[in-house]
C-alpha cells in the first residue's frame, strides 16, 4: 500500500528531494532505528551529528513498537527552539551535557540508481507520523568522493521527523514525563518487537558510534526501564513463591488428610 494511501505527509507538488540532491543520489540521516537497521543499497555509512534538535521518545507508535490499542513509544527529534518552550524535567541535564545542541547518528549515502527505491522504502517504514525534512549533517570522518571533505564540512541530509503537529506526538505534558515514558516503553510491543528492545538497541548503537555513551535522555530512560523490569521480575518471583507456598501447604494438607484417614481405619 502506498504512503499516500496510508496518510503519510507527502508534498502537494510531489517529492522535492531532488532540489536538495541535484545529482540524483541521496543522503539519509538516522537518529533512531536507522543507526542499527540501515536502509538498503547504501554504499557509505558516516557517523556524525545534526545541530538545533533534541532527541526524545515523545512519539507514539501504533505499529513497530506498539498497537493502536496500546501505543508504544519511539524516538523523534524536536527543533531545539520549540523544545525550549516545553516543560522537560531533563532540561538541566541537556545544558550540562558535553554534546549539548548535537544529535548524534549515522548518515547513509544512497547512489542515484537506487534513490527513488530507498525513498519509497523509507516512506513506508516511517509512515506512522513522520515526514521528510532536510538539514545540514556534520560528519566526523572524511566522506568518500565529497569535494573538500575534511571530516567537518557539513552536507545536506534527509531525515524523517515526527513533528509536534503530527497526531502521534505526545502533546500532553504528563505523557512526556520520563517515568511515564519508561513505563510505556517497558510495556510496549509491536510488529518489530518490544519497546524496551528498541531503547536498548538505540543505546548500544549510539555507543557504537564512538561516543562511548548515548545522550542523557536515552541513558536516563535505560535506567528507568531496567528498574521497572527488575521490579517486574521481582514481582513475578514473589508471585511464584506465593504459588509454591500455596501448593506446598495444599500438598501438606492433603498428606495430612491421608494420614488421618489411615489412622482412623487402623
Amino acid at each position: 500500500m502506498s504512503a499516500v494511501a496510508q496518510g503519510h505527509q507527502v508534498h502537494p507538488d510531489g517529492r522535492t528531494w531532488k532540489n536538495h540532491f541535484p545529482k540524483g543520489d541521496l543522503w539519509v540521516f538516522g537518529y533512531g532505528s536507522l543507526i542499527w537497521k540501515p536502509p538498503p543499497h547504501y554504499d557509505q555509512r558516516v557517523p556524525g551529528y545534526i545541530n538545533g534538535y533534541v532527541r526524545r521518545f515523545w512519539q507514539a507508535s501504533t505499529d513497530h513498537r506498539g498497537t493502536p490499542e496500546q501505543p508504544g513509544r519511539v524516538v523523534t527529534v524536536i527543533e531545539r527552539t520549540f523544545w525550549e518552550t516545553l516543560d522537560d524535567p531533563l532540561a538541566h541535564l541537556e545544558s550540562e551535557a558535553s554534546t549539548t545542541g548535537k544529535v548524534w547518528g549515522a548518515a547513509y549515502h544512497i547512489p542515484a540508481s537506487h534513490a527513488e527505491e530507498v525513498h519509497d522504502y523509507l516512506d513506508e517504514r516511517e509512515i506512522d507520523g513522520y515526514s521528510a525534512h532536510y538539514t545540514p549533517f556534520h560528519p566526523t570522518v572524511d566522506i568518500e568522493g565529497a569535494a573538500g571533505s575534511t571530516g567537518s564540512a557539513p552536507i545536506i541530509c534527509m531525515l524523517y521527523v515526527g513533528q509536534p503537529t503530527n497526531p502521534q506526538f505526545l502533546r500532553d505534558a504528563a505523557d512526556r514525563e520520563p517515568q511515564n515514558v519508561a513505563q510505556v516503553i517497558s510495556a510496549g510491543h509491536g510488529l518489530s518487537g518490544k519497546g524496551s528492545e528498541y531503547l536498548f538497541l538505540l543505546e548500544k548503537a549510539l555507543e557504537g558510534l564512538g561516543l562511548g555513551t548515548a545522550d542523557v535522555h536515552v541513558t536516563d530512560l535505560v535506567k528507568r526501564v531496567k528498574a521497572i523490569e527488575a521490579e517486574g521480575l521481582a514481582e513475578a518471583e514473589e508471585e511464584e513463591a506465593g504459588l509454591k507456598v500455596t501448593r506446598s501447604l495444599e500438598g501438606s494438607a492433603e498428606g495430612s488428610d491421608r494420614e488421618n484417614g489411615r489412622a482412623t481405619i487402623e
Side-chain angles (χ1 to χ4, degrees):
M1 187 175 292
S2 71
V4 175
Q6 287 284 342
H8 185 73
Q9 300 178 39
V10 177
H11 192 279
D13 297 326
R15 287 180 176 161
T16 60
W17 67 275
K18 287 187 178 179
N19 294 338
H20 302 277
F21 305 99
K23 294 181 179 179
D25 59 348
L26 182 63
W27 279 97
V28 180
F29 177 70
Y31 56 85
S33 64
L34 281 172
I35 303 177
W36 73 84
K37 189 180 179 182
H41 304 302
Y42 73 94
D43 58 10
Q44 290 188 69
R45 180 182 187 272
V46 181
Y49 60 89
I50 59 175
N51 280 321
Y53 293 88
V54 175
R55 178 171 24 223
R56 286 291 182 270
F57 273 78
W58 288 359
Q59 183 84 349
S61 173
T62 60
D63 51 9
H64 289 296
R65 301 292 171 172
T67 65
E69 296 74 25
Q70 188 177 0
R73 296 288 181 265
V74 286
V75 75
T76 186
V77 290
I78 304 161
E79 289 188 21
R80 194 173 187 88
T81 52
F82 176 74
W83 169 78
E84 289 173 347
T85 69
L86 303 175
D87 182 21
D88 187 341
L90 296 183
H92 66 288
L93 295 179
E94 286 284 348
S95 62
E96 295 168 1
S98 60
T99 57
T100 294
K102 299 177 181 178
V103 173
W104 289 83
Y108 299 90
H109 178 257
I110 314 298
S113 57
H114 292 286
E116 283 283 5
E117 177 187 348
V118 171
H119 204 312
D120 285 340
Y121 163 81
L122 291 171
D123 277 353
E124 291 292 337
R125 176 168 165 176
E126 308 293 342
I127 200 169
D128 200 12
Y130 293 87
S131 55
H133 294 260
Y134 304 88
T135 194
F137 165 75
H138 300 265
T140 54
V141 298
D142 288 346
I143 297 177
E144 181 182 341
S149 176
T150 63
S152 60
I155 59 172
I156 294 297
C157 269
M158 183 177 77
L159 72 162
Y160 283 79
V161 179
Q163 289 188 298
T165 52
N166 90 85
Q168 307 295 8
F169 187 80
L170 304 183
R171 292 175 175 79
D172 190 334
D175 291 336
R176 300 195 300 264
E177 284 292 323
Q179 192 61 22
N180 187 309
V181 174
Q183 291 281 359
V184 176
I185 288 174
S186 179
H189 195 287
L191 295 173
S192 296
K194 295 178 61 179
S196 56
E197 177 193 39
Y198 177 97
L199 172 64
F200 298 153
L201 284 168
L202 178 57
E203 177 197 31
K204 297 305 178 185
L206 288 171
E207 290 176 357
L209 291 175
L211 304 176
T213 183
D215 58 37
V216 293
H217 176 70
V218 173
T219 54
D220 177 76
L221 284 176
V222 166
K223 291 177 182 178
R224 292 174 186 273
V225 170
K226 284 183 176 179
I228 291 168
E229 297 196 345
E231 179 182 338
L233 179 60
E235 290 177 353
E237 291 175 344
E238 183 179 18
E239 183 179 352
E240 178 61 24
L243 291 173
K244 286 181 178 179
V245 168
T246 300
R247 288 194 294 265
S248 177
L249 291 174
E250 289 175 347
S252 297
E254 290 173 0
S256 178
D257 288 343
R258 287 194 296 271
E259 290 296 327
N260 288 336
R262 284 197 293 272
T264 302
I265 294 171
E266 293 171 356

